[in-house]
Amino acid sequence: MISDGQVRFYLETLQNLVSIPTASFHEEGVCAAIKVFLDRYNIPYEIDPYGNIIAHYQKGPTCRPLALMAHTDHPAFELLTPGSDAEFEGATWTARLLGGVGIDWFKEERPVKIFAGNDPASPVAATLLGGRVVGGPRQINLFLRLNEPSEALVAGNFGIWDLPDFVLGEELIQARVIDDLVGCTAALLTLWKLAQDSTDTNVYGVFTRAEEVGLVGAELVFAQKILPPETYVVSLEASRALPGAVQGEGPVIRVGDRGFTFSEEAEYVLKVAAESLREHGLPKVQRQLMSGGRCEASTAILQGYLATGLAFPLGNYHNMAEGYRLETENIHRQDFLTGVALLQEAARLLPELSERATARLAAETTSQILIDRLTATREIIAGQPL
């Protein structure tokens, strides 16, 4: 179903995106690459007042829209103040952790890169000496020692763990950032396929900012009512592999996260697409509650949308490997390819499925005959002694 040329293009697109340094509030490199891709393939988009990118492909008769939502940031850190610290001898900068990495992963020294002027072309090598919780569990300060003196760094510059950008293995794809640039890539490749095939459908690609510090960009997208209220929202994530959602067994149709269960009506679009893939020889798609964290589908539900999710089972979630080591994240190569195919198929089938989903729910409504039988026998129940 996927040609060798498409596989190469999909993997190259993923490699290009995940190799770009990113952090909450510092997503400009990733967003620039997304805009270049959209421009290249003539996919319209707008940028909201907060820097979220909303692409929209629509062709043919009007149908209920599908929104593929993914975030452009990843856990990293931001410089706060220069100066030493008594607990961490040799520290020359204090930084703020941006995103969910546990304090235990900072017990050992770690190599990092900091970007002077936030320019990825000019990294400054440093050593992360350790961290300290300064408030709640997600409020962590980090202490850094520069490997070489640099006067170019200023408060507000961001830094990342010094890990390989991208390693393609026989089975696993490893990268410093899989979560959630793989979701962004899957959304882009779906829009690309629709544009290439001139498909009649109605699909948004929503690329949000600052998800790792509290789903900030997603909340603002929904607050602005950019998406029509009848939109099916699909949150695309790389989510921690769990029992029942394992690597190599396919992408996971996500029925819920840590905070919410999702919409069966929205999920129906993905389930029918999965059935269609099975008919074409791509059988492995999983379905599971992924309770490792909250995702943007929760935010959509709070704003009244019908939402579901698609997750790529992730190893070394947020770079947190066993033994409190920071390592590359990883996903299974086939999970990625099947996930892209699933989204493309869902988008292709959308005009038919949006009508069928509504009709299906109506057909499953309790019949009036059965309701009348309950009414007719009500007095028997009411007349029974307690």
Side-chain angles (χ1 to χ4, degrees), residues 19-337:
S19 299
I20 300 170
T22 188
S24 299
F25 313 110
H26 302 277
E27 305 94 338
E28 55 269 26
V30 170
C31 289
I34 289 171
K35 291 189 295 180
V36 166
F37 186 98
L38 295 171
D39 287 335
R40 181 180 302 144
Y41 297 108
N42 298 313
I43 300 166
Y45 64 90
E46 62 178 282
I47 302 172
D48 78 359
Y50 311 102
N52 300 301
I53 300 174
I54 299 92
H56 188 200
Y57 172 90
Q58 184 174 17
K59 183 177 179 295
T62 301
C63 71
R64 189 167 189 164
L66 180 73
L68 307 178
M69 179 172 279
H71 62 88
T72 56
D73 58 326
H74 184 76
F77 61 89
E78 181 179 65
L79 294 184
L80 285 176
T81 56
S84 60
D85 185 272
E87 183 179 351
F88 299 98
E89 185 177 353
T92 53
W93 277 94
T94 302
R96 175 193 296 113
L97 178 65
L98 300 173
V101 181
I103 187 65
D104 289 335
W105 274 264
F106 303 116
K107 289 181 178 179
E108 303 293 332
E109 294 186 0
R110 314 285 183 189
V112 296
K113 294 178 180 178
I114 309 170
F115 299 102
N118 294 329
D119 179 6
S122 58
V124 175
T127 302
L128 196 162
L129 302 177
R132 178 188 301 133
V133 177
V134 294
R138 290 176 63 91
Q139 297 175 347
I140 295 174
N141 279 357
L142 305 175
F143 299 91
L144 311 168
R145 180 184 64 236
L146 303 186
N147 293 6
E148 298 288 342
S150 173
E151 296 182 357
L153 294 179
V154 297
N157 290 161
F158 80 101
I160 61 173
W161 330 130
D162 190 357
L163 295 169
D165 288 338
F166 184 86
V167 180
L168 180 61
E170 291 264 335
E171 293 188 346
L172 293 183
I173 300 169
Q174 301 180 62
R176 183 187 65 258
V177 180
I178 296 287
D179 170 25
D180 185 28
L181 299 191
V182 66
C184 294
T185 304
L188 288 174
L189 292 173
T190 300
L191 293 167
W192 166 82
K193 179 68 170 171
L194 300 176
Q196 292 296 107
D197 294 348
S198 194
T199 305
D200 287 354
T201 192
N202 186 4
V203 176
Y204 290 86
V206 184
F207 306 92
T208 68
R209 302 180 60 205
E211 189 269 356
E212 298 291 357
V213 293
L215 301 155
V216 182
E219 288 188 1
L220 292 168
V221 167
F222 292 120
Q224 297 172 82
K225 306 297 183 185
I226 292 173
L227 301 176
E230 69 274 17
T231 302
Y232 292 133
V233 177
V234 181
S235 174
L236 306 180
E237 274 281 4
S239 187
R240 184 188 291 116
L242 297 167
V246 298
Q247 291 182 319
E249 293 299 313
V252 181
I253 296 174
R254 191 172 184 175
V255 302
D257 62 13
R258 187 178 62 200
F260 291 84
T261 50
F262 299 159
S263 162
E264 200 282 335
E265 185 178 345
E267 182 188 326
Y268 177 74
V269 177
L270 297 183
K271 289 193 291 189
V272 175
E275 291 172 7
S276 179
L277 288 188
R278 278 192 284 272
E279 294 173 1
H280 292 87
L282 288 173
K284 289 188 175 181
V285 176
Q286 304 176 82
R287 179 176 182 267
Q288 186 61 259
L289 174 69
M290 308 273 294
S291 57
R294 271 194 64 195
C295 71
E296 291 172 317
S298 286
T299 305
I301 287 170
L302 284 171
Q303 295 293 328
Y305 287 86
L306 296 178
T308 186
L310 186 73
F312 301 94
L314 182 68
N316 297 341
Y317 168 75
H318 284 183
N319 306 113
M320 294 183 290
E322 292 184 7
Y324 301 116
R325 294 174 295 111
L326 290 175
E327 299 287 355
T328 52
E329 296 182 317
N330 61 75
I331 56 171
H332 198 282
R333 172 179 174 146
Q334 192 57 51
D335 293 346
F336 166 63
L337 296 174

